[in-house]
Amino acid sequence: MKIILPICLLMAQFTNAKADQILSFPVAKPLISFKIPDSWEMSDKDGTLFVTSPDGGEVIVEVMTLDALSEDDAASVKEAKSTFEQDFKNLKFTEADPVKNKGLTITMVGGEGEDESGEAHLNMLLIKHPEAAHQVLFSIVAAKEAAEKHGAACGAMLESIQSASAAKPMDKTTADADTQIYAYPNEATPSFTMNVPADWTLEADEKGAWIASADKKFTLNVIPIDIEHIREGMENITEQVSSKYDKVVWNEDKEPQTNIDEATGTTFISSEGVAKGGGYEHKLGVYQFAKRGAAKFFVLSAWSPLELATGPNGEAALKMLMSVKLD
């Protein structure tokens, strides 16, 4: 359940950004493919692929092959981090557990640093292809002040990454064989959709949905609320969730993280906490999704034992959040 990448880049995938160009890497024998906006520029230099936003490079995407052997994950991560050491200072990184997705094994490393232009978000995906001797490093550098502006485009790129051998037109509303779709209020005219693992419990009605992992060690409630109650909605649910425990520390006593995409009118607010109750520690999450002009907004409340928050259930939960679409 723990979200590693900065909210502005990861959660921007809940918007409807368009990605019109399909790129493959490496050129000679493609291992991965991904989509970029039609207005972004691409160049190739000595086997490294560069993609830049159309505003002077507020966002720079770099795709390269690492020297470390693919099976040596520790060496690959170390090498990936070292690519920033020459140009950035005050580096801080957080590494997530590997996730299998679309024919690839992906390790996400999120971080921050400072260069001569100021603070920046540094995001890396170390991509292991089953047929490759070396991992592919997919890195995104975004100026901190520009992260929200380009969040949707970056999110769409991250979501579109897949094995080149499996490249085909993608539809965010279609689940694969390992997932089931939750759609509200119905599949014919959904305003909210999310992919759920096929072996998880999904119970839904007009009031929302209750989702539980196969081992019942992760639960998620999806609650649609009338838009006129948006100011108090998330606050009330957070209070209700907190009342079940002896003590809860939300966001390390900081404000919830918020991402607003003015272009699409989409707002995402994330609040995560650690709770103590019944002699155990628990990981909690309350996430709000809203779109300008919609009749409903959606609040998701999640629970997991703290020690299991970054395990397989956490990885599956991250995929669920990444699959959310608002219409």
Side-chain angles (χ1 to χ4, degrees), residues 1-313:
M1 190 174 71
K2 186 176 182 181
I3 297 174
I4 300 299
L5 291 180
I7 291 296
C8 58
L9 292 183
L10 182 59
M11 295 310 168
Q13 297 182 60
F14 306 123
T15 65
N16 296 321
K18 295 181 179 179
D20 301 321
Q21 303 181 62
I22 298 178
L23 303 182
S24 297
F25 180 87
V27 175
K29 186 179 180 181
L31 296 171
I32 67 169
S33 68
F34 61 98
K35 296 181 179 181
I36 67 171
D38 187 57
S39 59
W40 288 41
E41 298 181 359
M42 183 273 292
S43 62
D44 187 298
K45 182 179 179 181
D46 299 327
T48 297
L49 184 64
F50 294 92
V51 178
T52 55
S53 56
D55 47 20
E58 288 183 341
V59 177
I60 300 175
V61 179
E62 183 175 353
V63 188
M64 60 181 292
T65 302
L66 295 173
D67 292 329
L69 293 176
S70 182
E71 63 268 22
D72 194 339
D73 292 326
S76 296
V77 171
K78 182 178 181 180
E79 182 182 345
K81 292 179 179 179
S82 72
T83 62
F84 291 106
E85 291 176 353
Q86 182 176 347
D87 298 320
F88 291 88
K89 61 181 180 180
N90 299 326
L91 291 167
K92 297 179 181 178
F93 292 107
T94 305
E95 180 182 343
D97 294 329
V99 175
K100 293 184 181 297
N101 190 41
K102 299 177 184 176
L104 305 166
T105 300
I106 300 175
T107 299
M108 294 182 288
V109 181
E112 296 182 348
E114 298 178 28
D115 65 2
E116 58 185 13
S117 299
E119 296 181 346
H121 290 300
L122 313 174
N123 300 278
M124 297 181 288
L125 273 67
L126 284 82
I127 303 170
K128 185 185 296 185
H129 190 287
E131 300 175 4
H134 305 272
Q135 296 187 33
V136 172
L137 173 60
F138 189 106
S139 62
I140 299 178
V141 178
K144 196 168 186 178
E145 63 274 12
E148 291 187 9
K149 175 182 176 182
H150 296 291
C154 293
M157 275 190 282
L158 294 175
E159 184 184 12
S160 71
I161 296 172
Q162 63 180 329
S163 171
S165 60
K168 57 183 178 180
M170 298 168 60
D171 183 350
K172 289 179 65 174
T173 65
T174 303
D176 59 31
D178 296 324
T179 59
Q180 54 187 316
I181 296 177
Y182 168 61
Y184 179 90
N186 54 61
E187 292 188 10
T189 57
S191 57
F192 175 99
T193 58
M194 181 173 67
N195 292 354
V196 179
D199 61 344
W200 285 30
T201 300
L202 170 58
E203 299 177 2
D205 57 24
E206 70 279 0
K207 297 180 180 179
W210 180 79
I211 298 167
S213 58
D215 61 5
K216 300 301 187 289
K217 298 297 184 181
F218 175 91
T219 62
L220 179 73
N221 289 284
V222 182
I223 308 164
I225 305 174
D226 291 340
I227 199 68
E228 58 260 34
H229 300 302
I230 192 168
R231 289 186 178 274
E232 66 271 21
M234 186 171 180
E235 180 179 340
N236 290 345
I237 291 175
T238 302
E239 290 178 355
Q240 293 174 17
V241 171
S242 299
S243 67
K244 301 176 183 179
Y245 302 94
D246 299 328
K247 180 181 179 181
V248 182
V249 177
W250 290 99
N251 308 306
E252 299 178 340
D253 288 328
K254 300 177 182 178
E255 292 296 317
Q257 297 189 59
T258 300
N259 177 59
I260 302 174
D261 191 312
E262 295 293 348
T264 61
T266 303
T267 298
F268 173 78
I269 301 176
S270 169
S271 187
E272 295 191 326
V274 175
K276 293 184 179 180
Y280 298 94
E281 289 188 310
H282 312 263
K283 182 71 176 182
L284 309 177
V286 178
Y287 311 101
Q288 176 181 298
F289 304 87
K291 188 165 185 177
R292 187 186 304 125
K296 300 278 188 180
F297 70 102
F298 299 85
V299 177
L300 281 60
S301 64
W303 164 87
S304 172
L306 183 61
E307 69 272 14
L308 301 179
T310 57
N313 286 344

